[in-house]
Amino acid sequence: MFKKFSTATDISGSTPVKSSVQRQLRATILSQWKIEPETLESIWPKKEGLVHVKCREHISIYTVNSRPIFFQHFDSPLVPTLRILHQYPYILPKVQIDRGAIRFLLAGAHMMCPGLTSKGGWLPPAEEDLPGGTLVAIFAEGKEHAAGIGITKLSTEDMKKINKNVGVETVAYLGDDLWSVKSL
Amino acid sequence: MGKKQRAAAAAAPAPGPEEAESSTAPAAEPRLPVEVIYCGVCGWPLEYCEFGSTFTRCKEWLGAEHSELFDKYYSEDALAAKLGTISLEAQSKLEEDTAKKEAKAEARAEAELKKKMESQVVIKRVERTKRKHVTVISGLDKFGIDLKKAAKQFASKFATGASVSKVTAGATDDEIVVQGDVCYEILEMIEDGVGILKGVPADNVEIVEDKKKKGGN
């Protein structure tokens, strides 16, 4: 999504968000991420106004103090930026790819099932099955921090069974153009 | 790693929604963010430097800045452990790729620098009416100068209007228009690198005079 993104040409404008909409967004985040209200409060204090940065192709980035906090593509779930995810790694369910897949992830490729099901990869156990369309943090074998954020295309059980083709669609990854944007 | 965090998340029970509503009262403390150290060269978390295009420089930086962390990531044991499940063959291929990428990035950076050094800053005096002129400065953006800020600086320095005007629809070749004839003052400013006008080699600055065509009315 952010493989090619330039702040000079792809942003069409930024506006402060209405407080009623902010309330809605807050509620959405609390329901979508595994985060306590207090922690959210420390990332995004109530007093600080949220700014909506509108970009090309229905991408909306939300910033607090001109620091990107989360973004959304059209009606997709709200996605935290990778920097936020690094600080609060528990807010999204985890999947892990093996070492061989890291360089593809860092080039922006979608994650294939074998990279997730192989020995270095990790998927939640059957009782914690994630359905398709879930936002996940993509961790990497032998690494401490997340390398990307994705949306599952299959449920994790299906990934284990089918073990072919795209399992997780990459939304943001380390080194994409959103990563290099530190303030908007 | 991730699993541990997960366990930690389970151990510390997340405050329920009831607690959230009474957050004005001394409620649960917010969970502290994980401190992540980012590499000063590539800006990625340290452990991912090896996949970047500036690995050698990243390593040097880490050795100089955080020598204790250097051992953690690049000692013999760490390197052996890192191999994990990947086959030796794939690992060597990966290393080869990284080296190639690095060389490529270096070449690109060099070419960019060369191009930058070749590009010109043109200061142009354009006649408006009779004895009035404006000074047009183009090419400053190539040297990574924020045009808006530069215009502001000129405006306050010369106490005149200064604006950034778009030449074409693209954002790449904008120029600054300063009211009045201030060619030589600006040349001096650029040579001295006043304020944000730093990093422009004086040799690349050129003054051009543009006479308005005679005739018309």
Side-chain angles (χ1 to χ4, degrees):
Chain A
M1 201 182 288
F2 290 102
K3 193 158 191 182
K4 270 229 164 74
F5 180 82
S6 122
T7 45
T9 54
D10 291 335
I11 291 179
S12 51
S14 62
T15 43
V17 180
K18 278 199 282 186
S19 63
S20 57
V21 180
Q22 283 193 33
R23 253 200 316 275
Q24 257 173 33
L25 283 170
R26 213 176 266 273
T28 322
I29 288 181
L30 289 176
S31 67
Q32 282 176 356
W33 302 357
K34 228 168 63 198
I35 191 167
E36 310 84 52
E38 288 77 25
T39 316
L40 181 62
E41 178 71 27
S42 66
I43 307 176
W44 169 20
K46 261 192 194 111
K47 279 197 180 145
E48 298 294 347
L50 195 67
V51 176
H52 175 193
V53 181
K54 248 188 182 170
C55 310
R56 53 140 171 92
E57 287 164 21
H58 301 287
I59 294 175
S60 313
I61 304 174
Y62 293 91
T63 64
V64 172
N65 280 335
S66 76
R67 177 176 175 225
I69 300 293
F70 55 92
F71 62 90
Q72 185 178 31
H73 178 241
F74 202 53
D75 270 342
S76 75
L78 298 168
V79 188
T81 56
L82 207 50
R83 283 178 203 277
I84 295 291
L85 186 70
H86 280 163
Q87 289 185 321
Y88 305 92
Y90 47 84
I91 55 180
L92 294 180
K94 173 198 158 184
V95 296
Q96 186 178 306
I97 52 167
D98 61 22
R99 199 175 149 76
I102 297 178
R103 67 195 183 104
F104 296 108
L105 175 61
L106 297 188
H110 294 323
M111 292 295 97
M112 306 291 153
C113 291
L116 293 155
T117 50
S118 71
K119 210 174 142 207
W122 187 85
L123 284 170
E127 58 267 27
E128 288 174 47
D129 180 32
L130 302 168
T134 318
L135 203 61
V136 288
I138 306 173
F139 284 80
E141 177 189 1
K143 304 289 180 198
E144 190 183 343
H145 303 294
I149 298 169
I151 291 179
T152 54
K153 252 197 121 186
L154 305 165
S155 74
T156 48
E157 281 311 292
D158 277 348
M159 281 183 217
K160 286 176 202 165
K161 253 183 269 154
I162 299 169
N163 205 10
K164 254 204 178 115
N165 293 338
V166 178
V168 176
E169 259 178 16
T170 308
V171 177
Y173 58 93
L174 204 58
D176 65 0
D177 282 350
L178 182 66
W179 170 262
S180 46
V181 172
K182 285 189 184 121
S183 65
L184 275 174
Chain B
M1 219 194 60
K3 274 180 205 168
K4 246 186 254 162
Q5 279 146 6
R6 193 162 259 269
E18 311 84 28
E19 252 175 291
E21 270 155 37
S22 64
S23 62
T24 43
E29 286 286 307
R31 202 115 50 101
L32 286 177
V34 179
E35 290 279 344
V36 186
I37 298 173
Y38 294 119
C39 171
V41 176
C42 60
W44 291 5
L46 298 175
E47 50 192 12
Y48 286 105
C49 281
E50 53 177 320
F51 293 98
S53 53
T54 53
F55 186 34
T56 336
R57 268 169 55 221
C58 292
K59 243 174 152 175
E60 273 167 29
W61 176 85
L62 189 66
E65 294 280 322
H66 302 279
S67 43
E68 74 287 354
L69 284 174
F70 187 85
D71 291 340
K72 184 179 159 198
Y73 290 118
Y74 302 117
S75 67
E76 288 293 318
D77 299 350
L79 287 179
K82 212 169 58 177
L83 279 175
T85 58
I86 207 168
S87 68
L88 227 71
E89 213 174 295
Q91 175 62 21
S92 64
K93 186 162 180 286
L94 206 115
E95 264 159 27
E96 211 172 279
D97 262 17
T98 316
K100 222 187 274 170
K101 218 157 103 193
E102 212 166 309
K104 224 176 176 179
E106 227 159 78
R108 196 167 14 164
E110 212 163 279
E112 228 158 71
L113 191 75
K114 208 174 153 198
K115 206 170 155 198
K116 189 173 144 183
M117 283 306 145
E118 273 170 9
S119 60
Q120 290 270 334
V121 174
V122 180
I123 304 176
K124 209 170 16 171
R125 193 176 78 163
V126 182
E127 213 165 277
R128 265 290 137 85
T129 54
K130 289 197 178 150
R131 284 163 53 220
K132 292 194 173 143
H133 299 90
V134 291
T135 311
V136 177
I137 309 139
S138 50
L140 273 183
D141 50 337
K142 303 260 173 6
F143 294 95
I145 291 170
D146 189 341
L147 292 183
K148 254 190 186 161
K149 277 186 192 149
K152 185 96 191 159
Q153 193 186 332
F154 288 136
S156 59
K157 161 103 181 166
F158 302 122
T160 56
S163 61
V164 180
S165 70
K166 286 197 167 83
V167 178
T168 47
T172 44
D173 46 358
D174 289 359
E175 49 190 30
I176 300 179
V177 179
V178 186
Q179 287 173 18
D181 178 8
V182 284
C183 288
Y184 293 96
E185 286 92 331
I186 286 177
L187 179 66
E188 222 166 83
M189 276 176 84
I190 293 177
E191 277 170 359
D192 297 345
V194 185
I196 62 160
L197 294 173
K198 260 180 206 139
V200 183
D203 298 342
N204 289 19
V205 188
E206 192 183 16
I207 292 188
V208 175
E209 216 162 289
D210 193 14
K211 285 262 162 63
K212 202 178 182 183
K213 269 184 195 140
K214 294 216 171 93
N217 12 315

